[in-house]
Structure formats: structure tokens, C-alpha cells
Amino acid sequence: MSFVNYNTKEVNCKIVYYGPGLGGKTTNIQYVYKKTSGENKSDVISLNTENERTIFFDFLPLELGEIRGYKTRFHLYTVPGQAFYEASRKLILRGVDGIIFVADSQIEKMDANIKSLEALETDLKEQGYDINKVPIVVQWNKRDLPNIASIKDMEAQLNKKNYPSHEAIAMEGVGVFETLKSISKLVLMNLKGGLN
Amino acid sequence: MDYVDFFKSELKSSDLNSKIQKIALFVIRLDGVVLYSNEVKPLDKSKESIGALAAGLWQAAELSNNYLETKSRDFRLSFDTSDGGVYLLPLNLNGDIHLFGAMIQDQLNLGQIKNLLRRLRDKVEDNCINKNESGEDEYLFNDITDEEVDNLFSFVGK
Ligand SMILES: Nc1nc2c(ncn2[C@@H]2O[C@H](COP(=O)(O)OP(=O)(O)O)[C@@H](O)[C@H]2O)c(=O)[nH]1
Ligand SMILES: [Mg+2]
């Protein structure tokens, strides 16, 4: 759950990058980090295996500007994609305000995408969320590769609920901020609190 | 009394006060959000990351412990040497479980410090209410324009 502090006029939101292993979640966060400037810049925290596969999470606190007088801070997390790390993946979803589902566009990854989407639904349910109420946006990543599924196919198989979707080449930064802005808008509009 | 005010006044009178420059204290929600920090430098600058890590640590430890049959109610989590380290305690504010975290350096008697921290935690639980939840059901912001979102991200180097 987001946290609104009326005294200091701050909002904190938690955004989780979810998706199959090697789909590009960590790459998204690293790009955001690279493009962030300012004195408040924090390092990315990565809990990795030796070969840089995410074992627990990556974390990047992001100080944004103000919206209607409220200072805005986003906490970006990625989950480990591999089935093996199911237990730690579930923990990350605790308190989530919005999800970016990073799908791997390569044709042979379609099954992995579908399985991951199903896992997302189960994980959210277990944390007490209604998947229809959590803001979600989808990113079609790795659009630079030759062996990719068409957007039409991906939409048909992975986006039956018509979430906002964005094409991306996370490695080059293409679509990274578009996706993040898209979820930011949904998350902020979903914030409960009432201005009094 | 609000726990933030309570912490401030209690810390002044506690035996911890003389050592507190070397102890960073945090109240952390289980989703990683830091609700309170006593602003010890330079750690305070990294409190967001400390919060995320502490919440992850605690939950991972809790789940690991679930494989055991013996259950205790009063858990503590330590990662320390004889003179300092990380120390986490659950903090129950009206049924909401948060973490009370301490980052400790250069102490001669760490056991004593931990004991003082537990006593402080108990006092907070006995005397404080959790008034940070608004309980409001209305949306904080109504329509947000794309322009407002762009403004939020104006820091991004192009
Ligand atoms: N060709 C291509 N490779 C990418 C892209 N995004 C990420 N990768 C690569 O895919 C691999 C896995 O990315 P990573 O971010 O670690 O995936 P994660 O498991 O979802 O965190 C890395 O080698 C990345 O460099 C992309 O847009 N195009
Ligand atoms: Mg990763």
C-alpha cells in the first residue's frame, strides 16, 4: 500500500517489474538509474547470484518532482523471474501499488510469458489483491531481435484485459520511461487519501 | 501519543541517549517504507534502501522459520559482531506489525544496547497509537494529466 504523509506532504508508491526470467526487468531499472541525475540519486541495490541473475530483488528509490504540492517518491523493485525463486518473488509483491509486466517478445518465450502472467495472478491473490484492481501496464521488450512475435499476437495472447502496453528495447532505453510514466499515472490516480 | 513524538522524547531520557549518535533507528513498514528515522548521518541518506532491505530480510527470515515446528512469539533478527551490526525487532502498533530497526556501530556492550532497544520498543507499543493511516476512501488526486506526469519526470537526463 502506498503511503501518504500529510504532514510532510509526501507520497510513496511501490512499483514492481514482474515477468519471465531474462525478459529485461533489471535492464529497465538500470536504465532508469543511468538517466537519473541530481543530488538525491541513490544506487541500485541488487541481490544477485554470481552470474547476475536476480535472486531476491533489485531496488531503486526514485525521487520525482512534485505533483499538486506533494513530493513524490517511487520505490522500484524487480522480482526474480525463475520459478526456483518463487518464495522470494511473493514477498516483493507485498504492498505493491502498480505492476509493469515485462514480456520477452521472442517467439520461443511466449510460453514463459504466459506462465509468468499466470504466476502473477496467483501471487497477487495470495497477497490479498484483486488482480482487476491493481494498476498494471505491459511492456513488449526486446523489439530489436529478429525472431519476435507480432504485437498483434502478443496482445491477443498476453493482454486479454487490454492493459496499456508499450513496445521497448530496454537495453537501449527505448520505451523504458514511457512504460514507467504510464504506470505512474495509473498508480497516482489510484491513490486513496482525499485532499483535506 | 504519536510514536514519532514518543520516540523523540523517550530517546532523550533513555540510557540510549548517550550512545545514540552511533545508533541509527528506523520504523519500517513490512513493504519497505520507512516511517521514522532518527536521522543519524550518513545512514539517513540511504534510509530508503535500508528500509527495503530490512523488510526483505525480516520476511525471508520469517518464512524460513515457518519450516520449523517450534514457534516463538518474540523474534529478533541480528546480523552483528561483538560491537555492532543490524538489529531488527517487530513493532506492534495497534495490531499493525512494523519493524523497529537499529544500525549500530562502535559499542562496547552490544548486549546491553539490544536490551535497551527492546525496552524502548515495548514502551512504544504500550504508549503509542498508529495515526499515520488516513483511512480515507477518496482518491487523493483526481484526473492527472500527461503533462503533470511529464513534470514529475523532468529530472530525467535526455
Ligand atoms: N536484444 C535485447 N536484449 C535485451 C533487451 N533488454 C534486456 N536484454 C538482455 O536480456 C538479458 C536479461 O536481462 P535482465 O534485465 O537481466 O532480465 P531479468 O531477468 O528480467 O531481470 C540481458 O543480457 C540483457 O542485456 C532488449 O531490449 N533487447
Ligand atoms: Mg533481474
Side-chain angles (χ1 to χ4, degrees):
Chain A
M1 270 262 289
S2 52
F3 174 58
V4 182
N5 189 328
Y6 296 95
N7 298 328
T8 55
K9 295 211 115 191
E10 275 182 13
V11 296
N12 287 270
C13 302
K14 176 169 184 174
I15 292 175
V16 174
Y17 288 81
Y18 197 102
L22 297 180
K25 300 177 293 295
T26 301
T27 310
N28 264 273
I29 280 207
Q30 282 168 343
Y31 185 79
V32 172
Y33 171 74
K34 210 170 78 186
K35 287 292 169 182
T36 310
S37 49
E39 53 187 293
N40 291 329
K41 178 166 175 157
S42 309
D43 286 340
V44 181
I45 300 241
S46 286
L47 303 183
N48 288 335
T49 59
E50 268 166 39
N51 51 359
E52 303 220 336
R53 302 294 303 273
T54 311
I55 183 171
F56 200 167
F57 57 75
D58 306 298
F59 173 74
L60 176 64
L62 199 57
E63 298 239 357
L64 299 176
E66 282 189 8
I67 185 161
R68 299 183 199 171
Y70 277 78
K71 215 172 141 191
T72 308
R73 193 180 285 131
F74 281 180
H75 292 177
L76 308 184
Y77 288 80
T78 73
V79 298
Q82 298 143 285
F84 183 69
Y85 295 118
E86 186 186 338
S88 50
R89 197 171 53 232
K90 285 185 175 148
L91 295 183
I92 316 302
L93 286 175
R94 190 158 190 165
V96 68
D97 295 303
I99 289 163
I100 294 174
F101 184 82
V102 180
D104 192 325
S105 296
Q106 298 177 86
I107 288 173
E108 69 268 25
K109 291 294 168 68
M110 189 61 89
D111 265 357
N113 290 327
I114 291 171
K115 285 219 174 66
S116 178
L117 201 57
E118 287 169 359
L120 173 61
E121 199 154 336
T122 322
D123 288 354
L124 282 174
K125 234 184 248 160
E126 261 181 52
Q127 295 292 327
Y129 285 94
D130 175 350
I131 192 162
N132 296 310
K133 293 203 177 133
V134 184
I136 297 179
V137 303
V138 184
Q139 182 182 75
W140 311 126
N141 191 30
K142 306 201 183 180
R143 298 310 295 173
D144 57 314
L145 292 177
N147 54 330
I148 52 175
S150 71
I151 296 294
K152 201 166 148 249
D153 273 1
M154 297 197 74
E155 290 281 352
Q157 298 214 48
L158 297 166
N159 197 11
K160 300 199 172 90
K161 294 192 175 149
N162 268 316
Y163 300 121
S165 59
H166 304 271
E167 294 185 43
I169 308 170
M171 220 170 57
E172 296 167 14
V174 178
V176 169
F177 277 102
E178 284 80 350
T179 316
L180 184 55
K181 282 181 184 180
S182 168
I183 194 67
S184 301
K185 189 174 175 187
L186 293 183
V187 162
L188 290 170
M189 294 214 295
N190 203 40
L191 270 185
K192 294 283 172 65
L195 284 176
N196 34 25
Chain B
M1 195 185 216
D2 177 43
Y3 63 87
V4 174
D5 301 332
F6 188 83
F7 264 118
K8 285 181 185 155
S9 68
E10 195 60 32
L11 278 176
K12 276 201 200 104
S13 58
S14 158
D15 295 342
L16 280 169
N17 195 41
S18 56
K19 309 169 173 97
I20 211 73
Q21 287 78 12
K22 295 274 170 79
I23 306 178
L25 298 176
F26 304 93
V27 175
I28 300 161
R29 274 195 339 195
L30 285 180
D31 62 4
V33 171
V34 174
L35 298 175
Y36 166 77
S37 153
N38 67 338
E39 296 177 12
V40 168
K41 300 204 168 24
L43 290 177
D44 193 61
K45 218 173 49 146
S46 306
K47 69 176 173 194
E48 313 266 282
S49 301
I50 290 170
L53 288 169
L57 253 177
W58 183 266
Q59 293 184 60
E62 207 168 35
L63 281 185
S64 311
N65 184 71
N66 282 348
Y67 294 102
L68 296 175
E69 301 212 336
T70 43
K71 300 243 156 70
S72 153
R73 282 170 295 121
D74 189 22
F75 285 105
R76 313 104 193 244
L77 186 62
S78 304
F79 186 78
D80 53 32
T81 62
S82 58
D83 66 351
V86 180
Y87 188 53
L88 299 177
L89 297 168
L91 172 69
N92 184 337
L93 294 174
N94 301 356
D96 283 336
I97 305 294
H98 299 308
L99 294 176
F100 179 35
M103 312 271 289
I104 308 165
Q105 298 177 71
D106 298 336
Q107 299 297 330
L108 291 176
N109 188 344
L110 186 60
Q112 182 204 21
I113 298 285
K114 287 178 166 179
N115 191 18
L116 288 170
L117 288 168
R118 285 197 299 277
R119 293 225 301 263
L120 176 60
R121 187 270 314 265
D122 294 345
K123 267 195 176 167
V124 172
E125 285 185 343
D126 289 344
N127 290 286
C128 296
I129 51 162
N130 191 17
K131 71 161 194 206
N132 254 305
E133 309 299 327
S134 73
E136 287 270 0
D137 228 14
E138 275 169 52
Y139 289 105
L140 181 62
F141 308 115
N142 290 316
D143 285 332
I144 292 176
T145 62
D146 288 340
E147 211 184 339
E148 284 179 298
V149 175
D150 282 341
N151 279 340
L152 276 181
F153 284 88
S154 56
F155 66 88
V156 177
K158 290 272 146 66

